[in-house]
Amino acid sequence: MPTIVPYTGYGSTEWVRVLCRVLLSRPIAEDEPSPRRRRRREQGIRGWRSFTSAPVGDVPVLIDIAGQRIEVLADRGGVVDTRIPVSLPPGWHRATLSTEGAEPVEAPIQVLSPDVSFGIISDVDDTVMVTALPRPFVAFWNTFVLDEHARIPTQGMAVLYDRLVRAHPGVPIIYLSTGAWNVAPTLTRFLSRNLYPSGPLLLTDWGPTHDRWFRSGRAHKEENLRRLAGEFPGIRWLLIGDDGQHDEAIYADFASEHPDHVAAIAIRTLSKGEAVLAGGRGKADQGGVHVPWVSASDGSTLADRLSTAGVL
């Protein structure tokens, strides 16, 4: 039977971006204990099962939000990533998603106020949490280790984000990661348990493309940064990442191309051990970047430097 796995969306007061995926799952037996049945319906397919479960492509998915019903078609990988016109007040809303043979599910949607002029885009691995594994094994870890207790929050980062939220009421926080969509429920629980502000997760599908076995994580981040700049032309973003691999270069390129959309760049510097596990440090040319750029190994020091830069 098909199962719809919902993801957190976002939008403005005139449109919303709805995200979900349709996968095959084993039927839920009617004699299965009620708490277990409820958990399975709420959580959908998690962890390694989303890699071994077949996507259901080219099926219609009905989106019901604020009394408006729109039918869209999942792509060949079962993914729905669609922008639909709808009038909603700022705040959190829910869209009901359904398809034939599947239990309806609800997807949270964050609608931003048109008055918002500052936002946060944050990386996940090595930025808000530390996995402390060699980079090639991070994918395995995120896939098979489903318990959010096994992940370690980065020192001081949750406090930094809380201070940013307090200093900028109504600020949106979007977590942009190269992780696969199957870890979204685990990441959501991790963020909540460690007191990070709620916000949409923009993850990726690790499936093959027409010219490669795995999708490019760098391209995923670059495409979503450009998309967010186009969707919210009035917002200047604080870009938060780390110096392992590509965040510095991605943010530097984006700031050079779209300086009016970047308020500042904050980079968490990895320890020597973390840098080795991450496969080295990224190298970015800051010559063309004309926005505040701060770096530190922990959230507290980043907060102090963002304060000096006038961002916090």
Side-chain angles (χ1 to χ4, degrees):
M1 63 178 291
T3 295
I4 299 177
V5 183
Y7 308 124
T8 302
Y10 64 83
S12 74
T13 54
E14 299 177 349
W15 58 268
V16 294
R17 181 181 180 183
V18 178
L19 299 151
C20 72
R21 194 176 190 193
V22 186
L23 299 173
L24 285 177
S25 66
R26 69 178 178 85
I28 300 175
E30 290 302 320
D31 60 351
E32 189 170 359
S34 295
R36 187 183 304 168
R37 292 171 60 194
R38 183 168 58 252
R39 286 196 301 272
R40 287 190 60 203
R41 286 188 173 125
E42 290 174 350
Q43 296 172 353
I45 300 173
R46 294 173 45 198
W48 61 269
R49 290 185 178 86
S50 69
F51 285 92
T52 59
S53 299
V56 184
D58 302 318
V59 296
V61 174
L62 184 64
I63 301 171
D64 189 336
I65 183 168
Q68 184 169 335
R69 296 164 63 88
I70 298 176
E71 188 174 87
V72 299
L73 200 65
D75 68 14
R76 65 179 184 178
V79 174
V80 171
D81 180 351
T82 188
R83 174 170 157 162
I84 59 176
V86 61
S87 296
L88 291 169
W92 285 91
H93 301 267
R94 290 189 173 271
T96 301
L97 313 177
S98 59
T99 191
E100 185 176 357
E103 289 282 339
V105 297
E106 290 188 336
I109 308 286
Q110 185 180 22
V111 173
L112 308 186
S113 168
D115 298 328
V116 171
S117 59
F118 176 79
I120 300 167
I121 297 174
S122 172
D123 179 46
V124 176
D125 282 316
D126 292 326
T127 300
V128 302
M129 71 178 185
V130 180
T131 306
L133 286 174
R135 182 71 63 171
F137 293 101
V138 170
F140 176 90
W141 177 267
N142 285 338
T143 301
F144 291 94
V145 182
L146 302 182
D147 189 351
E148 66 274 15
H149 293 83
R151 291 163 169 82
I152 303 170
T154 305
Q155 183 178 1
M157 293 299 283
V159 175
L160 166 62
Y161 287 29
D162 180 68
R163 288 185 60 184
L164 286 165
V165 169
R166 292 176 183 274
H168 302 274
V171 60
I173 298 183
I174 294 178
Y175 298 94
L176 176 57
S177 170
T178 57
W181 278 114
N182 74 297
V183 300
T186 304
L187 288 181
T188 299
R189 292 193 300 273
F190 170 88
L191 294 170
S192 175
R193 181 176 297 278
N194 291 284
L195 304 180
Y196 283 100
S198 298
L201 289 164
L202 295 182
L203 307 177
T204 187
D205 179 6
W206 283 351
T209 65
H210 69 283
D211 61 352
R212 58 192 301 167
W213 282 106
F214 294 98
R215 298 177 189 273
S216 167
R218 178 166 182 163
H220 163 70
K221 285 192 172 183
E222 291 171 340
E223 291 165 5
N224 276 280
L225 285 171
R226 289 193 293 267
R227 179 169 183 170
L228 288 166
E231 290 174 332
F232 301 105
I235 293 182
R236 298 172 70 238
W237 299 94
L238 167 60
L239 308 178
I240 305 177
D242 62 82
D243 67 351
Q245 301 288 312
H246 302 303
D247 283 350
E248 287 187 301
I250 292 170
Y251 291 167
D253 289 346
F254 180 73
S256 297
E257 296 170 6
H258 305 277
D260 293 339
H261 294 285
V262 180
I265 296 172
I267 298 296
R268 177 187 174 249
T269 54
L270 306 184
S271 68
K272 290 183 179 179
E274 289 171 336
V276 170
L277 294 174
R281 298 185 188 276
K283 295 181 180 179
D285 180 7
Q286 300 181 28
V289 179
H290 303 291
V291 300
W293 184 301
V294 302
S295 60
S297 61
D298 62 88
S300 176
T301 308
L302 279 176
D304 292 340
R305 293 176 180 173
L306 285 170
S307 179
T308 300
V311 179
L312 181 58

